[in-house]
Amino acid sequence: MSQLEPLMSDLALILICAGVMTLLFKSLKQPVVLGYIVAGFLASPNMPYMPSVSDMHGIHLWSEIGVVFLLFALGLEFSFKKILKMGAAPIIAAIAIILGMMYVGSLAGHLFGWSEMDCIYLGGMLAMSSTTIIFKAFDDMGLRQQRFAGLVLSVLIIEDILAIVLMVMLSTLAVSKEFEGMQMLTSILQLGFFLVLWFVVGIYFIPLFLKKAKPLMNEETLLITALALCFGMVVFASAVGFSAAFGAFVMGSILSETVEAKQIEHLVTPVKNLFGAIFFVSVGMMVDVALIIEYIVPILCIIAAIMLGQTILSTLGFLLSGQSLKTAMQCSFSLTQIGEFAFILATLGTSLHVTSDFLYPIVVAVSVFTTFTTPYMIRLADPAYNIVARVLPAKWIEKLEHNASSEAEEPETNEMRQLWRSEFRIFVLIMLINSVLCLAVIAVMYYFGVPLIMDVLPEPWSGIAIAIVTLFICGPFIWALMRRGSNSDNVNKLWDEGGSIMRIKITAFGILRLAIGAAFIAYIIGNTLPMIGMYGIFAVIAVAFMIFVSRNFEKQSNIMTKTFTDHLNEREQGS
């Protein structure tokens, strides 16, 4: 029991400070997150006149668990289908904002003479606005139903996704310690591969598992099962080189598409609140008043960079996405703060020992100030727009408003073009998903199946067996690559009514799909049956033809596609 005493006393101190500060900040109508940060400062060794925690290592471990729960909860609120329904406007705006603010942050760091990694991480921190703080501010000010508020929240969802990608990229960069274009591209492709694989496999199998186990599920077992899936994905993600937070987010986003999502979210919320509070308290413990005083000039400059950068660059980003000037300014004035992901990125840089000690407290100080100013900046948007409207030429204002309204209201006049775009997106999705599944099967066979079969069978029978098993498992995916959707009603309509150019497009895309399917077959045969030599081309053509005309593979592909689609729409249908 004596070994637990420091941990228990630290937990008691943290929760007492957090409880008092959250009540105080709630009464002052300020974000609770700030109360946690102040509580962490009061409980830290940097506050000499207060009791302080004694086991910082234990608090650090708890805070890492807090990050896992925060990202898991974020995933539960996330939906890939919502992103697809948003259209291009939030995506364009989010990318423009992130790239612009990363440049502003990196430039600010260089002006102060900081190291390259400090500048890069600072840019990443400044690029991420706070979903929690903005959501709370809109709620308190009664703006949730405003059109610009919906657009801001859509952009924040995109930023959260890109923040996960940024975390993976910065982790890779921290290991290599230098920019290597090919290595970074490989990391991004690897990230995309595992993201698609986990999502597709997860959506296919997890709802099946939950449906089978439903008679045994109560609140306790559902909570334990959900957390088991979360931490299982955390371990798997870490094993393949990604962060624990990324794994938690992926599993949360998979579970968000299930019927049980709302119940899981309800059950996980208290646990998330507890460990999330410990995380934000640990952030406050990093605040060092002496360092803040020493770096007060950079802090003030970074605050100015956020205020000016977000209001100017975000306005341009929203204008670029087709919004009116007033809507763009309302959106941009809402984003003038940094929040949760800035802390997570700062924690990442500290844990990887690639950022300087002063960066963390600077970011915390900037976040606290910009959080307090968020409601005032939101209110300032309309007066600022009125000033800009008086300064800019009337023709410019009219053109900006006209472009936004015409883009939003102009009907699609070319039916064939719209139909082709829709089918093209479907074809690309089919190719992406089935290519990833083929690669996954080949990888699993290479690492697990090949050693097992070679121990049982001698050459050349082992090679033949490996080729047959791999092609049999990949068969439905290769069939879908080559044929799925190629004979749909929409494609037939495009072929009959779209003219010669449309027929050329459909034919070219069909040839490309056949070539990709044949490439997978050639890779499997070439690596398992090298002895056939020049006759390999005939083997590839023969196997491709058999898969192309196979009723069995078509049936398997149809069943798997229907199961996946049903699971994906299960929550909306309420089944």
Side-chain angles (χ1 to χ4, degrees), residues 412-566:
E412 178 60 55
T413 57
N414 193 327
E415 182 187 357
M416 289 296 105
R417 185 183 303 170
Q418 181 70 11
L419 197 58
W420 168 249
R421 287 176 181 173
S422 174
E423 289 303 304
F424 180 78
R425 284 194 293 267
I426 293 172
F427 284 155
V428 170
L429 201 59
I430 290 171
M431 291 168 59
L432 176 64
I433 291 175
N434 287 282
S435 295
V436 167
L437 291 173
C438 285
L439 288 171
V441 170
I442 292 170
V444 170
M445 283 298 299
Y446 179 79
Y447 284 105
F448 301 104
V450 170
L452 182 64
I453 293 174
M454 291 187 72
D455 286 342
V456 176
L457 297 174
E459 288 286 354
W461 302 110
S462 59
I464 295 172
I466 292 167
I468 292 173
V469 171
T470 307
L471 288 169
F472 182 78
I473 298 173
C474 287
F477 310 132
I478 296 176
W479 182 91
L481 262 174
M482 295 191 293
R483 290 196 61 179
R484 175 154 303 285
S486 59
N487 197 34
S488 67
D489 292 339
N490 286 340
V491 172
N492 291 333
K493 183 176 181 180
L494 287 168
W495 184 269
D496 293 336
E497 303 176 19
S500 58
I501 298 298
M502 192 61 68
R503 291 183 181 182
I504 292 173
K505 289 181 180 179
I506 295 172
T507 302
F509 213 80
I511 293 172
L512 175 62
R513 294 177 64 181
L514 288 172
I516 294 174
F520 278 111
I521 296 171
Y523 181 83
I524 294 168
I525 292 177
N527 281 274
T528 55
L529 302 172
M531 74 289 295
I532 64 176
M534 60 181 293
Y535 298 103
I537 184 66
F538 300 106
V540 170
I541 294 173
V543 172
F545 178 77
M546 285 189 291
I547 292 177
F548 189 85
V549 300
S550 172
R551 295 290 185 185
N552 184 41
F553 287 142
E554 179 182 2
K555 182 180 179 181
Q556 292 179 39
S557 178
N558 290 338
I559 292 172
M560 286 188 287
T561 301
K562 184 179 185 304
T563 302
F564 177 81
T565 305
D566 289 345

Side-chain angles (χ1 to χ4, degrees), residues 68 229-239 242-245 247-249 251:
V68 168
L229 290 170
C230 171
F231 281 92
M233 182 60 81
V234 163
V235 173
F236 190 40
S238 300
F242 298 122
S243 67
F249 174 81
M251 182 50 66

